[in-house]
Amino acid sequence: MAAGFKTVEPLEYYRRFLKENCRPDGRELGEFRTTTVNIGSIGTADGSSLVKLGNTTVICGIKVEFGAPPTDAPDKGYVVPNVDLSPLCSWRFRSGPPGEEAQVASQFIADVIENSQVVQKEDLCISPGKLAWVLYCDLICLNHDGNILDACTFALLAALKNVQLPEVTINEETALAEVNLKKKSYLNIRTHPVATSFAVFDDTLLIVDPTEEEENLATGTLTVVMDEEGKLCCLHKPGGSGLTGAKLQDCMSRAVTRHKEVKKLMDEVFKSMKPK
Amino acid sequence: MAGLELLSDQGYRVDGRRAGELRKIQARMGVFAQADGSAYIEQGNTKALAVVYGPHEIRGSRARALPDRALVNCQYSSATFSTGERKRRPHGDRKSCEMGLQLRQTFEAAVLTQLHPRSQIDIYVQVLQADGGTYAACVNAATLAVLDAGIPMRDFVCACSAGFVDGTALADLSHVEEAAGGPQLALALLPSSGQIALLEMDARLHEDQLEQVLETAAQAARDVHTLLDRVVRQHVQEASILLGD
């Protein structure tokens, strides 16, 4: 009976739960789904991670390559993120060139990298004006059950912490780069940006970490990216219903708490991996 | 490539296996709740994921609907970080299209498409790490995914690659062995009837030696079948426990 009601009137069905301050999957309005992270499983990638936020699964693989630094910033390397939402992860996507959602997600990740300065671009430079590291970060969504942006940000951060750059010396005589694959060092991760997404229901109610059904029923979404010191890296609110300043403040305080949770999880995972 | 011995005098390969030995295979079904069927397989270091949606109504042009059977649509995608050198285009390039076509032809032979006329079955395969034998891993993963989706099939489709070095046929080639440039055979078999769904060979091989290589590949495919069968039975057993049988 409940299943029938849910199909016919999904919004009413949800409202019944929201009135009791909970959601159909048993979570509270401010509760995240179980987050799990797995690091370094892809041997061919220079850094990799797999993040599961409930059912949403995102895998991030980073490959490092040589590249010429851009002419307007000769002492900087660069990071190229790409989010791939294929028909594999959900019904809604078609095969072919990246759709709107994938492009928005890619741009969002690029903005987060840029704003948070998670990797200092100067660290990626090998020889100013001639050679620099280029990090190609490819995020593949394997299962889309809402809240892609949070999962992607977390996967990217975990993968970046896992990347090892080999030592490169420029041979003075031949002016060629010599790569020493035996000596590798981890990237210097300056900050840890963590994203928290919210969905707005009926223009008033805010719920954290929406599933795909909730995203479809929502009247608006909001994503806040927070740093360690409570610094705001990115605020993504693509239209939708309006929010008051007070609600926004609530969101930001929730984002700060979420940052602590995620940081704790990541520290645990990396600590358990250290003896290598 | 001089200096790299693919088969030592004692009969050991680069990774320590014997000539007819398969790599370690680990597989799981039902990894994603959202899709109708899904499976993940690891053959040595080759990691492949398959997801099946269907049977459902034809998407796009209705004109493509076949009046007497289902349309099988396969897409192959290889992650950019799956190979040693970064791959520029994950899907849409020639090799991916060819793989997709080969997978489609393989599964059209095995899936009982007559039971679902005017509908479409989508099989999406994603290779996360490629260390040789990607076609075989994709077929094996897709078989498990189709079974997980409950789509009736004539038989399992088990695939394995084989090669030929120094007068001996090798089963389940790794990337190093494939890159050496010798003859390679990819075989997809329906084990119970012994029928071949797909056979593809690269490089030159003398017709006298074909028999030997084919037999090695077929035996390896049958070994894969034993393993996949066990995985399916275990999965069904776990599922029935959860349903409270």
Side-chain angles (χ1 to χ4, degrees), chain B residues 40-55:
Chain B
Y40 173 73
I41 196 166
E42 276 186 29
Q43 264 182 254
N45 282 331
T46 301
K47 300 181 167 104
L49 185 69
V51 170
V52 170
Y53 287 102

mmCIF file of all heavy atoms in Angstrom, chain B residues 40-55:
data_model
loop_
_atom_site.group_PDB
_atom_site.id
_atom_site.type_symbol
_atom_site.label_atom_id
_atom_site.label_comp_id
_atom_site.label_asym_id
_atom_site.label_seq_id
_atom_site.Cartn_x
_atom_site.Cartn_y
_atom_site.Cartn_z
ATOM 1 N N TYR B 40 31.080 -7.462 -10.649
ATOM 2 C CA TYR B 40 32.449 -6.954 -10.647
ATOM 3 C C TYR B 40 33.374 -8.153 -10.672
ATOM 4 O O TYR B 40 33.173 -9.129 -9.945
ATOM 5 C CB TYR B 40 32.676 -6.137 -9.380
ATOM 6 C CG TYR B 40 34.101 -5.693 -9.164
ATOM 7 C CD1 TYR B 40 34.659 -4.686 -9.942
ATOM 8 C CD2 TYR B 40 34.884 -6.277 -8.183
ATOM 9 C CE1 TYR B 40 35.966 -4.278 -9.743
ATOM 10 C CE2 TYR B 40 36.189 -5.874 -7.979
ATOM 11 C CZ TYR B 40 36.728 -4.873 -8.760
ATOM 12 O OH TYR B 40 38.024 -4.472 -8.559
ATOM 13 N N ILE B 41 34.390 -8.109 -11.552
ATOM 14 C CA ILE B 41 35.310 -9.229 -11.626
ATOM 15 C C ILE B 41 36.748 -8.756 -11.629
ATOM 16 O O ILE B 41 37.061 -7.700 -12.192
ATOM 17 C CB ILE B 41 35.016 -10.107 -12.877
ATOM 18 C CG1 ILE B 41 35.686 -11.464 -12.742
ATOM 19 C CG2 ILE B 41 35.476 -9.450 -14.165
ATOM 20 C CD1 ILE B 41 35.194 -12.473 -13.741
ATOM 21 N N GLU B 42 37.624 -9.519 -10.982
ATOM 22 C CA GLU B 42 39.060 -9.222 -11.015
ATOM 23 C C GLU B 42 39.760 -10.462 -11.517
ATOM 24 O O GLU B 42 39.675 -11.505 -10.886
ATOM 25 C CB GLU B 42 39.561 -8.916 -9.594
ATOM 26 C CG GLU B 42 39.355 -7.498 -9.158
ATOM 27 C CD GLU B 42 39.989 -7.207 -7.806
ATOM 28 O OE1 GLU B 42 40.999 -7.864 -7.471
ATOM 29 O OE2 GLU B 42 39.471 -6.347 -7.095
ATOM 30 N N GLN B 43 40.432 -10.329 -12.665
ATOM 31 C CA GLN B 43 41.209 -11.462 -13.195
ATOM 32 C C GLN B 43 42.660 -11.056 -13.105
ATOM 33 O O GLN B 43 43.150 -10.331 -13.961
ATOM 34 C CB GLN B 43 40.831 -11.730 -14.653
ATOM 35 C CG GLN B 43 39.795 -12.812 -14.805
ATOM 36 C CD GLN B 43 39.456 -13.104 -16.255
ATOM 37 O OE1 GLN B 43 38.408 -12.736 -16.749
ATOM 38 N NE2 GLN B 43 40.365 -13.770 -16.934
ATOM 39 N N GLY B 44 43.338 -11.497 -12.042
ATOM 40 C CA GLY B 44 44.684 -10.999 -11.821
ATOM 41 C C GLY B 44 44.570 -9.527 -11.490
ATOM 42 O O GLY B 44 43.841 -9.147 -10.579
ATOM 43 N N ASN B 45 45.212 -8.665 -12.280
ATOM 44 C CA ASN B 45 45.115 -7.227 -12.049
ATOM 45 C C ASN B 45 44.090 -6.540 -12.939
ATOM 46 O O ASN B 45 43.907 -5.333 -12.840
ATOM 47 C CB ASN B 45 46.480 -6.563 -12.294
ATOM 48 C CG ASN B 45 47.402 -6.769 -11.123
ATOM 49 O OD1 ASN B 45 46.946 -6.889 -10.011
ATOM 50 N ND2 ASN B 45 48.689 -6.835 -11.400
ATOM 51 N N THR B 46 43.452 -7.297 -13.812
ATOM 52 C CA THR B 46 42.440 -6.685 -14.685
ATOM 53 C C THR B 46 41.147 -6.604 -13.912
ATOM 54 O O THR B 46 40.637 -7.614 -13.427
ATOM 55 C CB THR B 46 42.242 -7.543 -15.944
ATOM 56 O OG1 THR B 46 43.485 -7.638 -16.619
ATOM 57 C CG2 THR B 46 41.228 -6.912 -16.878
ATOM 58 N N LYS B 47 40.611 -5.366 -13.790
ATOM 59 C CA LYS B 47 39.385 -5.169 -13.018
ATOM 60 C C LYS B 47 38.301 -4.647 -13.947
ATOM 61 O O LYS B 47 38.488 -3.614 -14.587
ATOM 62 C CB LYS B 47 39.620 -4.149 -11.908
ATOM 63 C CG LYS B 47 40.701 -4.576 -10.942
ATOM 64 C CD LYS B 47 40.910 -3.554 -9.825
ATOM 65 C CE LYS B 47 41.756 -4.127 -8.723
ATOM 66 N NZ LYS B 47 43.130 -3.663 -8.713
ATOM 67 N N ALA B 48 37.176 -5.352 -14.001
ATOM 68 C CA ALA B 48 36.086 -4.915 -14.882
ATOM 69 C C ALA B 48 34.764 -4.929 -14.136
ATOM 70 O O ALA B 48 34.537 -5.747 -13.250
ATOM 71 C CB ALA B 48 35.996 -5.821 -16.106
ATOM 72 N N LEU B 49 33.913 -4.003 -14.529
ATOM 73 C CA LEU B 49 32.609 -3.849 -13.893
ATOM 74 C C LEU B 49 31.554 -3.920 -14.991
ATOM 75 O O LEU B 49 31.726 -3.318 -16.043
ATOM 76 C CB LEU B 49 32.591 -2.472 -13.241
ATOM 77 C CG LEU B 49 31.416 -2.049 -12.414
ATOM 78 C CD1 LEU B 49 31.386 -2.847 -11.152
ATOM 79 C CD2 LEU B 49 31.552 -0.587 -12.087
ATOM 80 N N ALA B 50 30.480 -4.658 -14.766
ATOM 81 C CA ALA B 50 29.421 -4.716 -15.782
ATOM 82 C C ALA B 50 28.092 -4.385 -15.137
ATOM 83 O O ALA B 50 27.814 -4.809 -14.016
ATOM 84 C CB ALA B 50 29.360 -6.104 -16.404
ATOM 85 N N VAL B 51 27.277 -3.610 -15.848
ATOM 86 C CA VAL B 51 25.972 -3.204 -15.348
ATOM 87 C C VAL B 51 24.944 -3.465 -16.431
ATOM 88 O O VAL B 51 25.187 -3.163 -17.596
ATOM 89 C CB VAL B 51 26.005 -1.698 -14.980
ATOM 90 C CG1 VAL B 51 24.623 -1.180 -14.683
ATOM 91 C CG2 VAL B 51 26.890 -1.477 -13.796
ATOM 92 N N VAL B 52 23.824 -4.053 -16.045
ATOM 93 C CA VAL B 52 22.783 -4.393 -17.036
ATOM 94 C C VAL B 52 21.479 -3.692 -16.687
ATOM 95 O O VAL B 52 21.055 -3.693 -15.535
ATOM 96 C CB VAL B 52 22.562 -5.927 -17.056
ATOM 97 C CG1 VAL B 52 21.345 -6.285 -17.875
ATOM 98 C CG2 VAL B 52 23.772 -6.623 -17.613
ATOM 99 N N TYR B 53 20.880 -3.067 -17.672
ATOM 100 C CA TYR B 53 19.547 -2.481 -17.502
ATOM 101 C C TYR B 53 18.626 -3.171 -18.499
ATOM 102 O O TYR B 53 18.909 -3.215 -19.691
ATOM 103 C CB TYR B 53 19.570 -0.988 -17.835
ATOM 104 C CG TYR B 53 20.262 -0.125 -16.809
ATOM 105 C CD1 TYR B 53 21.557 0.331 -17.030
ATOM 106 C CD2 TYR B 53 19.625 0.234 -15.632
ATOM 107 C CE1 TYR B 53 22.192 1.126 -16.092
ATOM 108 C CE2 TYR B 53 20.247 1.036 -14.700
ATOM 109 C CZ TYR B 53 21.535 1.478 -14.935
ATOM 110 O OH TYR B 53 22.165 2.262 -14.014
ATOM 111 N N GLY B 54 17.529 -3.705 -18.007
ATOM 112 C CA GLY B 54 16.593 -4.275 -18.968
ATOM 113 C C GLY B 54 15.953 -5.553 -18.497
ATOM 114 O O GLY B 54 16.231 -6.017 -17.400
ATOM 115 N N PRO B 55 15.144 -6.161 -19.315
ATOM 116 C CA PRO B 55 14.659 -5.613 -20.583
ATOM 117 C C PRO B 55 13.696 -4.453 -20.365
ATOM 118 O O PRO B 55 12.878 -4.481 -19.456
ATOM 119 C CB PRO B 55 13.922 -6.794 -21.226
ATOM 120 C CG PRO B 55 14.210 -7.967 -20.388
ATOM 121 C CD PRO B 55 14.595 -7.484 -19.045
#
